[in-house]
């Protein structure tokens, strides 16, 4: 049974930083591409950043240059370092996983491209 669990969210002031972690179990982690998504109240879920098996990355325009995605296959853990946070980054953040036999130049980062999802963790940025 695949489980994906996020941690590291919370409240931070604008301009601050947070690091989200996502630990996956029940899967061969290095055979999966991983992603971070977020959803603010009243808005659709957005693909924030995704990383392939070969560590190629995708970032949405809204976070490019501020967020960094990484993975530690030995720890079955995905990270999202979030810097220069603004109130617009306030949302529920989700980690997601998908088995993947391909080596992408840019990993897919749409909600439909991922099968396994965590329950989400709240990130709130105060102004």
């Amino acid at each position: 049974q695949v489980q994906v669990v996020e941690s590291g969210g919370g409240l931070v002031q604008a301009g601050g930083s947070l690091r989200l972690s996502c630990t996956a179990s029940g899967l061969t982690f290095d055979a999966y591409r991983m992603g971070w998504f977020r959803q603010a109240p009243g808005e659709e879920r957005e693909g924030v950043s995704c990383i392939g098996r070969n560590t190629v990355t995708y970032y949405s325009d809204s976070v490019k240059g501020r967020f960094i995605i990484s993975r530690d296959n030995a720890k079955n853990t995905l990270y999202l370092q979030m810097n220069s946070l603004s109130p617009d980054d306030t949302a529920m953040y989700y980690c997601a996983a998908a088995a993947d036999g391909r080596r992408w130049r840019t990993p897919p980062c749409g909600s439909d491209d991922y099968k396994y999802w965590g329950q989400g963790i709240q990130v709130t940025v105060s102004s």
Side-chain angles (χ1 to χ4, degrees):
Q1 179 180 356
V2 175
Q3 287 191 316
V4 178
V5 180
E6 303 95 341
S7 62
L11 174 65
V12 64
Q13 288 189 331
S17 298
L18 276 178
R19 188 176 82 156
L20 302 182
S21 298
C22 168
T23 301
S25 60
L27 52 74
T28 303
F29 189 75
D30 62 5
Y32 281 65
R33 62 182 146 80
M34 303 293 295
W36 288 102
F37 296 78
R38 68 185 181 187
Q39 188 168 21
E43 297 188 12
E44 293 191 358
R45 188 172 296 184
E46 170 193 17
V48 173
S49 183
C50 296
I51 185 166
R53 295 175 56 199
N54 54 352
T55 70
V56 292
T57 57
Y58 162 86
Y59 295 95
S60 68
D61 288 343
S62 60
V63 307
K64 199 173 295 183
R66 300 187 298 123
F67 290 11
I68 301 171
I69 190 171
S70 61
R71 63 190 296 163
D72 185 338
N73 291 340
K75 295 182 178 180
N76 280 20
T77 301
L78 177 74
Y79 302 99
L80 185 68
Q81 177 67 42
M82 305 187 293
N83 303 317
S84 302
L85 285 161
S86 77
D88 289 342
D89 296 312
T90 295
M92 187 73 77
Y93 282 72
Y94 298 89
C95 175
D100 197 343
R102 294 184 60 176
R103 291 187 173 273
W104 302 88
R105 287 188 178 181
T106 303
C109 210
S111 293
D112 291 344
D113 298 315
Y114 290 79
K115 181 175 181 179
Y116 302 104
W117 292 83
Q119 292 194 327
I121 193 162
Q122 181 67 37
V123 171
T124 302
V125 184
S126 63
S127 57

